[in-house]
Each structure stands twice: as C-alpha cells, then as structure tokens.
Amino acid sequence: MIKRLMLYIVAIFILGFGIVLNTKAGLGVGSINTLPYAVSRITPLSLGTATTFMYFVFVAGQTAVYRKINAKVLLQIPFSYVMGVVIDFYDNLMDFQARTLPVSFLLLAAAIVCTAFGAYATVTMDFIPNPADGMAKAVSVALCKEFGQGKLIFDCVMILATAAVSLAFAGKIIGIGIGTVLSAIFIGKLIGVFGRRIGGYMNGVVERSRK
C-alpha cells in the first residue's frame, strides 16, 4: 500500500509539472487546461486556483449526472485543492517563457511526456481519480457513449468554452494553439505506450497492495 501511495503522489507531482510546463511553451495548452489557463490570464486568479475552481465544477457535474453522493467523487474535492497547490508551486518555480520556436517545441514535448505519464500513473494506482477524467467519464455516461467518445466531446466543449470566455473578456483567443492539437494527439498515444511498457509493473504494485 505504501509503495502504491508513493507512486500515486509522485504521479500527481509529475502531472502538475507537465501541466505547467505546457503553459511555458507558449504554443497552446492541453484542452482540459485551456479554460483555467485563460481565466488565470484574464483575472487575478492564479493558474492553480483557477484549476481548483474548475475541478470543483467537475465534481458538481459528476454528482448531477450520477444523481447520488459518490465517495470517489467527493474525494476529488481535496484532490482538487492539492492539485491547485502543486500547479501554483511549479508555476512560481518556473518563472520563464519560451523565447524561440525550437525551445517551445522542446518544452511542449517534455510537457506531453510528463502529462501522459502522470495521467497514466494516477489512473493506474486507482486512488482518487482526476476530476477532469471523472467528468469525461460522466459525460460518456450521460450521452450513452464510449469513454473515448465522451472524452472527445468533453475536450471539444472545453476548447469552445475557452474560446468564448477569452473572446468575451480579452478580445482574443487565449491558450489554444498547435500545442493544444499536439497534446490531444500524443498524450493519449503515450498513455498507451506507458501501459504496454510498464503496465505489468504498475498493475503488480496495485494487486500486491490489495492482498
């Protein structure tokens, strides 16, 4: 159990690092993070605080879809707070922005790898799900779609909401770019790669912790 918990905590920090590093590339952030990023640029809210508030909305959305109090959903509330703190920690630590295109793509590539691994490991360790993943699953349930289709719909809604909010309050698109597209393409593929390469080890850790 201790090893499983430690891997879960490490995965949260890697996921937070990947999310923040994505914003430093300046090429557009991942679809799930576009809205809190835009809000943090428009308002005085920090990126971590905006992310926490958005995750709270996702918790409420899941509760509405399932129409019952679910312990795993409610536990996403403290997770949201912790994730916000982690994101702000990295955002304050990495006080820079890519200045050249090659550096931007290098940062984006590193961010995609970190985000994919963090997302894969947090899900595999099976403690508290990321509210964004939980909301994507709720969308798939509500629309009677497969999870992949529900996530695609959810990602598109987030991008459209970001475009609408940023145009309404800033007069321009914020946080959406080629990096958003590349993240959508490669994060899922890398999660599959991690599953094939280290899935046996990760699943073994989980199984041993349950005995």
Side-chain angles (χ1 to χ4, degrees):
M1 175 62 76
I2 294 176
K3 189 173 185 179
R4 179 182 166 201
L5 179 60
M6 291 301 297
L7 283 171
Y8 180 76
I9 293 172
V10 169
I12 289 175
F13 275 90
I14 293 175
L15 178 60
F17 180 77
I19 290 172
V20 174
L21 194 61
N22 197 327
T23 69
K24 305 302 179 182
L27 296 172
V29 299
S31 57
I32 297 300
N33 306 308
T34 52
L35 187 54
Y37 178 74
V39 170
S40 71
R41 296 292 298 272
I42 296 169
T43 71
L45 294 177
S46 68
L47 178 59
T49 301
T51 300
T52 296
F53 284 154
M54 187 187 72
Y55 282 178
F56 286 167
V57 172
F58 291 165
V59 171
Q62 291 173 71
T63 303
V65 169
Y66 299 132
R67 297 181 182 178
K68 63 179 181 180
I69 303 298
N70 186 303
K72 273 203 170 184
V73 173
L74 290 181
L75 285 172
Q76 292 172 27
I77 294 175
F79 176 97
S80 302
Y81 174 77
V82 171
M83 199 69 210
V85 171
V86 170
I87 287 174
D88 275 345
F89 167 75
Y90 283 125
D91 199 29
N92 292 326
L93 184 66
M94 295 188 285
D95 188 20
F96 63 85
Q97 196 73 33
R99 301 293 182 186
T100 65
L101 202 56
V103 172
S104 292
F105 277 105
L106 282 173
L107 291 180
L108 178 63
I112 288 173
V113 172
C114 290
T115 302
F117 178 81
Y120 167 74
T122 52
V123 170
T124 304
M125 290 301 102
D126 195 28
F127 276 110
I128 304 170
N130 186 314
D133 293 331
M135 190 65 219
K137 183 177 180 180
V139 168
S140 67
V141 170
L143 299 178
C144 299
K145 302 284 187 180
E146 294 180 355
F147 177 73
Q149 293 176 307
K151 189 177 186 314
L152 178 60
I153 293 170
F154 179 54
D155 288 349
C156 291
V157 170
M158 290 297 296
I159 292 172
L160 290 173
T162 302
V165 169
S166 57
L167 283 173
F169 293 97
K172 60 180 181 180
I173 299 292
I174 299 174
I176 301 172
I178 185 63
T180 308
V181 177
L182 293 176
S183 294
I185 293 171
F186 288 107
I187 287 176
K189 291 183 180 296
L190 279 174
I191 287 175
V193 171
F194 286 128
R196 291 190 295 273
R197 296 292 184 180
I198 61 174
Y201 171 77
M202 289 291 201
N203 291 327
V205 170
V206 174
E207 290 300 320
R208 286 191 294 272
S209 72
R210 288 173 173 168
K211 291 180 179 179

